[in-house]
Amino acid sequence: MFAYEIQQIRSAEMIREADNYRMVREAIRARRAARRSAKDTEGRVNRRPYPRRHRFARAA
């Protein structure tokens, strides 16, 4: 009986932890969305601020 009660307590604790983690992830996602919508992205051509390739070839 004692083991069953400990298991129930642990189960409830894990459910609370999962809910807390979910809320944190949701808040981060909302903050990112708000930041993206606040930026002025109309003038940008590329997604990256810097090109992947270097402008000049490397010297031998």
Side-chain angles (χ1 to χ4, degrees):
M1 194 67 180
F2 182 71
Y4 175 76
E5 300 228 359
I6 287 180
Q7 187 270 334
Q8 292 289 61
I9 291 169
R10 181 70 181 136
S11 175
E13 184 179 317
M14 288 176 73
I15 290 170
R16 277 194 302 272
E17 249 181 74
D19 286 340
N20 187 26
Y21 180 77
R22 209 172 292 119
M23 280 184 6
V24 167
R25 297 299 305 166
E26 188 177 317
I28 289 171
R29 211 173 292 128
R31 207 178 313 149
R32 281 185 190 148
R35 228 181 325 174
R36 279 190 204 127
S37 67
K39 285 184 180 178
D40 181 29
T41 58
E42 193 172 325
R44 291 181 66 181
V45 177
N46 297 334
R47 280 183 53 145
R48 295 173 186 256
Y50 304 105
R52 278 187 172 193
R53 296 184 192 168
H54 292 289
R55 186 174 278 203
F56 301 105
R58 293 182 67 182

